[in-house]
Amino acid sequence: EQLINKPVTGFAYPNGLPGTDYDSSAVELVKAAGFEYAVATTWGISTKATSTHDLNRSTPWDTQPGRFHLRLIRQMLRS
């Protein structure tokens, strides 16, 4: 925070696999520490029903916009 002169509001769980790398007690600790959101390494998209402290992630490393949009659509259909 001192380096960027802004508050850090997000947290990424180390390794990030729910139930293996962290559990509900870790989620509660992250909330208590004041983080607004946290991300796991679970592949997929997050919805309104997804906890803000247990967000899924996707792989947005496509170099073409069309492929990126297709990936998002595919993930939405799988959800």
Side-chain angles (χ1 to χ4, degrees):
E1 290 180 333
Q2 291 174 357
L3 182 65
I4 62 173
N5 233 10
K6 294 181 180 182
V8 175
T9 59
F11 182 83
Y13 296 105
N15 297 323
L17 189 59
T20 299
D21 299 318
Y22 69 96
D23 58 15
S24 60
S25 62
V27 173
E28 293 306 316
L29 288 170
V30 169
K31 288 180 184 179
F35 290 102
E36 294 176 14
Y37 65 93
V39 293
T41 57
T42 307
W43 186 86
I45 61 170
S46 297
T47 66
K48 289 181 182 182
T50 307
S51 166
T52 56
H53 288 84
D54 205 7
L55 296 168
N56 301 313
R57 289 197 265 183
S58 64
T59 52
W61 297 290
D62 296 299
T63 57
Q64 299 169 340
R67 288 184 58 94
F68 176 73
H69 287 108
L70 287 173
R71 183 186 301 274
L72 288 177
I73 291 167
R74 187 176 73 217
Q75 289 175 357
M76 289 171 51
L77 293 173
R78 287 183 179 173
S79 297

